[in-house]
mmCIF file of all heavy atoms in Angstrom:
data_model
loop_
_atom_site.group_PDB
_atom_site.id
_atom_site.type_symbol
_atom_site.label_atom_id
_atom_site.label_comp_id
_atom_site.label_asym_id
_atom_site.label_seq_id
_atom_site.Cartn_x
_atom_site.Cartn_y
_atom_site.Cartn_z
ATOM 1 N N PRO B 5 -10.522 -5.822 -2.066
ATOM 2 C CA PRO B 5 -10.022 -4.656 -1.331
ATOM 3 C C PRO B 5 -8.516 -4.448 -1.525
ATOM 4 O O PRO B 5 -7.741 -5.372 -1.296
ATOM 5 C CB PRO B 5 -10.331 -4.982 0.139
ATOM 6 C CG PRO B 5 -10.948 -6.332 0.164
ATOM 7 C CD PRO B 5 -10.961 -6.914 -1.205
ATOM 8 N N ASP B 16 0.887 -1.056 11.978
ATOM 9 C CA ASP B 16 0.585 -2.121 12.937
ATOM 10 C C ASP B 16 0.241 -3.386 12.138
ATOM 11 O O ASP B 16 -0.862 -3.536 11.624
ATOM 12 C CB ASP B 16 -0.600 -1.679 13.813
ATOM 13 C CG ASP B 16 -1.001 -2.749 14.831
ATOM 14 O OD1 ASP B 16 -0.671 -3.946 14.635
ATOM 15 O OD2 ASP B 16 -1.661 -2.384 15.815
ATOM 16 N N ALA B 18 -0.420 -6.505 12.865
ATOM 17 C CA ALA B 18 -1.578 -7.311 13.255
ATOM 18 C C ALA B 18 -2.888 -6.635 12.854
ATOM 19 O O ALA B 18 -3.813 -7.291 12.372
ATOM 20 C CB ALA B 18 -1.549 -7.557 14.764
ATOM 21 N N ALA B 23 -7.701 -6.385 9.558
ATOM 22 C CA ALA B 23 -8.596 -5.584 8.719
ATOM 23 C C ALA B 23 -8.904 -6.316 7.415
ATOM 24 O O ALA B 23 -10.002 -6.208 6.867
ATOM 25 C CB ALA B 23 -7.960 -4.227 8.426
ATOM 26 N N GLY B 32 -7.625 -18.601 2.682
ATOM 27 C CA GLY B 32 -6.889 -19.750 3.194
ATOM 28 C C GLY B 32 -5.463 -19.427 3.579
ATOM 29 O O GLY B 32 -4.835 -20.164 4.330
ATOM 30 N N VAL B 35 -0.075 -13.822 3.574
ATOM 31 C CA VAL B 35 1.373 -13.620 3.635
ATOM 32 C C VAL B 35 1.639 -12.147 3.925
ATOM 33 O O VAL B 35 0.980 -11.271 3.355
ATOM 34 C CB VAL B 35 2.060 -14.039 2.312
ATOM 35 C CG1 VAL B 35 3.499 -13.525 2.243
ATOM 36 C CG2 VAL B 35 2.045 -15.562 2.173
ATOM 37 N N ALA B 45 26.521 -2.889 10.477
ATOM 38 C CA ALA B 45 27.819 -2.333 10.859
ATOM 39 C C ALA B 45 27.719 -1.377 12.048
ATOM 40 O O ALA B 45 28.725 -1.028 12.658
ATOM 41 C CB ALA B 45 28.432 -1.605 9.662
ATOM 42 N N GLU B 52 16.719 8.303 5.355
ATOM 43 C CA GLU B 52 15.718 9.323 5.096
ATOM 44 C C GLU B 52 15.040 8.959 3.792
ATOM 45 O O GLU B 52 15.704 8.796 2.773
ATOM 46 C CB GLU B 52 16.387 10.686 4.997
ATOM 47 C CG GLU B 52 15.389 11.806 5.022
ATOM 48 C CD GLU B 52 16.087 13.162 5.047
ATOM 49 O OE1 GLU B 52 17.283 13.223 5.414
ATOM 50 O OE2 GLU B 52 15.430 14.147 4.673
ATOM 51 N N TYR B 56 7.498 10.807 -3.916
ATOM 52 C CA TYR B 56 6.758 11.682 -4.827
ATOM 53 C C TYR B 56 5.291 11.561 -4.426
ATOM 54 O O TYR B 56 4.621 10.584 -4.782
ATOM 55 C CB TYR B 56 6.995 11.190 -6.253
ATOM 56 C CG TYR B 56 6.371 11.969 -7.388
ATOM 57 C CD1 TYR B 56 6.663 11.594 -8.704
ATOM 58 C CD2 TYR B 56 5.515 13.055 -7.207
ATOM 59 C CE1 TYR B 56 6.125 12.269 -9.794
ATOM 60 C CE2 TYR B 56 4.968 13.744 -8.281
ATOM 61 C CZ TYR B 56 5.274 13.344 -9.571
ATOM 62 O OH TYR B 56 4.737 14.008 -10.648
ATOM 63 N N ARG B 66 -1.271 0.683 -8.637
ATOM 64 C CA ARG B 66 -1.186 -0.016 -9.930
ATOM 65 C C ARG B 66 -0.543 -1.384 -9.756
ATOM 66 O O ARG B 66 -1.007 -2.386 -10.300
ATOM 67 C CB ARG B 66 -0.372 0.820 -10.945
ATOM 68 C CG ARG B 66 -1.139 1.966 -11.574
ATOM 69 C CD ARG B 66 -0.372 2.595 -12.753
ATOM 70 N NE ARG B 66 0.696 3.486 -12.334
ATOM 71 C CZ ARG B 66 0.570 4.810 -12.155
ATOM 72 N NH1 ARG B 66 -0.599 5.396 -12.364
ATOM 73 N NH2 ARG B 66 1.588 5.555 -11.779
ATOM 74 N N GLU B 70 -2.363 -5.061 -10.312
ATOM 75 C CA GLU B 70 -1.766 -6.026 -11.244
ATOM 76 C C GLU B 70 -1.587 -7.380 -10.542
ATOM 77 O O GLU B 70 -1.874 -8.442 -11.113
ATOM 78 C CB GLU B 70 -0.413 -5.482 -11.734
ATOM 79 C CG GLU B 70 0.459 -6.458 -12.506
ATOM 80 C CD GLU B 70 -0.086 -6.773 -13.889
ATOM 81 O OE1 GLU B 70 -0.911 -5.983 -14.379
ATOM 82 O OE2 GLU B 70 0.308 -7.817 -14.459
ATOM 83 N N ALA B 82 -0.776 -2.498 1.142
ATOM 84 C CA ALA B 82 0.627 -2.090 1.029
ATOM 85 C C ALA B 82 0.792 -0.727 1.680
ATOM 86 O O ALA B 82 0.043 0.208 1.379
ATOM 87 C CB ALA B 82 1.063 -2.043 -0.439
ATOM 88 N N GLY B 87 10.137 9.733 5.328
ATOM 89 C CA GLY B 87 10.787 10.506 6.396
ATOM 90 C C GLY B 87 11.937 9.726 7.011
ATOM 91 O O GLY B 87 12.444 8.787 6.414
ATOM 92 N N VAL B 96 8.436 -0.810 5.113
ATOM 93 C CA VAL B 96 7.370 -1.146 4.183
ATOM 94 C C VAL B 96 6.645 -2.412 4.645
ATOM 95 O O VAL B 96 7.251 -3.295 5.259
ATOM 96 C CB VAL B 96 7.956 -1.325 2.754
ATOM 97 C CG1 VAL B 96 8.967 -2.458 2.705
ATOM 98 C CG2 VAL B 96 6.869 -1.552 1.702
ATOM 99 N N THR B 100 -0.886 -9.954 1.599
ATOM 100 C CA THR B 100 -1.700 -10.535 0.529
ATOM 101 C C THR B 100 -2.528 -11.684 1.092
ATOM 102 O O THR B 100 -2.066 -12.416 1.963
ATOM 103 C CB THR B 100 -0.818 -11.103 -0.596
ATOM 104 O OG1 THR B 100 0.125 -12.018 -0.026
ATOM 105 C CG2 THR B 100 -0.082 -10.002 -1.341
ATOM 106 N N GLY B 111 2.172 -13.278 -4.848
ATOM 107 C CA GLY B 111 1.623 -11.931 -4.909
ATOM 108 C C GLY B 111 2.460 -10.946 -4.101
ATOM 109 O O GLY B 111 2.809 -9.861 -4.585
ATOM 110 N N MET B 116 6.563 -6.641 -3.951
ATOM 111 C CA MET B 116 7.831 -6.102 -3.432
ATOM 112 C C MET B 116 8.833 -5.832 -4.556
ATOM 113 O O MET B 116 9.516 -4.801 -4.545
ATOM 114 C CB MET B 116 8.442 -7.049 -2.398
ATOM 115 C CG MET B 116 7.861 -6.885 -1.014
ATOM 116 S SD MET B 116 7.894 -5.162 -0.421
ATOM 117 C CE MET B 116 9.660 -4.782 -0.530
ATOM 118 N N PHE B 118 8.280 -5.072 -7.687
ATOM 119 C CA PHE B 118 7.902 -3.898 -8.480
ATOM 120 C C PHE B 118 7.912 -2.634 -7.636
ATOM 121 O O PHE B 118 8.267 -1.553 -8.121
ATOM 122 C CB PHE B 118 6.550 -4.126 -9.165
ATOM 123 C CG PHE B 118 6.701 -4.971 -10.404
ATOM 124 C CD1 PHE B 118 6.751 -6.351 -10.319
ATOM 125 C CD2 PHE B 118 6.863 -4.372 -11.644
ATOM 126 C CE1 PHE B 118 6.928 -7.130 -11.452
ATOM 127 C CE2 PHE B 118 7.044 -5.142 -12.784
ATOM 128 C CZ PHE B 118 7.073 -6.519 -12.692
ATOM 129 N N LYS B 120 10.003 -1.984 -5.291
ATOM 130 C CA LYS B 120 11.420 -1.587 -5.204
ATOM 131 C C LYS B 120 11.888 -0.818 -6.434
ATOM 132 O O LYS B 120 12.710 0.084 -6.328
ATOM 133 C CB LYS B 120 12.297 -2.854 -5.095
ATOM 134 C CG LYS B 120 12.350 -3.428 -3.705
ATOM 135 C CD LYS B 120 13.756 -3.301 -3.165
ATOM 136 C CE LYS B 120 13.777 -3.507 -1.680
ATOM 137 N NZ LYS B 120 14.969 -2.932 -1.042
ATOM 138 N N HIS B 130 22.120 8.522 6.542
ATOM 139 C CA HIS B 130 22.815 9.423 7.465
ATOM 140 C C HIS B 130 23.697 8.581 8.384
ATOM 141 O O HIS B 130 23.221 7.628 8.989
ATOM 142 C CB HIS B 130 21.806 10.217 8.306
ATOM 143 C CG HIS B 130 20.983 11.156 7.501
ATOM 144 N ND1 HIS B 130 21.360 12.455 7.255
ATOM 145 C CD2 HIS B 130 19.806 10.982 6.844
ATOM 146 C CE1 HIS B 130 20.444 13.048 6.494
ATOM 147 N NE2 HIS B 130 19.488 12.168 6.237
ATOM 148 N N VAL B 132 26.340 7.706 11.634
ATOM 149 C CA VAL B 132 26.332 8.028 13.063
ATOM 150 C C VAL B 132 27.232 9.209 13.402
ATOM 151 O O VAL B 132 27.029 9.887 14.401
ATOM 152 C CB VAL B 132 26.745 6.817 13.953
ATOM 153 C CG1 VAL B 132 25.622 5.800 14.050
ATOM 154 C CG2 VAL B 132 28.019 6.182 13.458
ATOM 155 N N GLU B 136 26.161 12.995 6.098
ATOM 156 C CA GLU B 136 25.331 12.317 5.098
ATOM 157 C C GLU B 136 26.201 11.305 4.366
ATOM 158 O O GLU B 136 27.326 11.608 3.986
ATOM 159 C CB GLU B 136 24.807 13.315 4.055
ATOM 160 C CG GLU B 136 23.602 14.070 4.523
ATOM 161 C CD GLU B 136 22.951 14.839 3.371
ATOM 162 O OE1 GLU B 136 23.346 14.635 2.218
ATOM 163 O OE2 GLU B 136 22.043 15.640 3.653
ATOM 164 N N GLY B 138 24.915 10.005 1.694
ATOM 165 C CA GLY B 138 24.430 10.174 0.336
ATOM 166 C C GLY B 138 23.310 9.229 -0.038
ATOM 167 O O GLY B 138 22.836 8.443 0.777
#
Side-chain angles (χ1 to χ4, degrees):
Chain B
D16 179 339
V35 166
E52 192 175 340
Y56 182 175
R66 281 190 282 268
E70 169 71 19
V96 61
T100 54
M116 277 308 303
F118 280 83
K120 280 246 165 201
H130 294 270
V132 285
E136 279 191 9

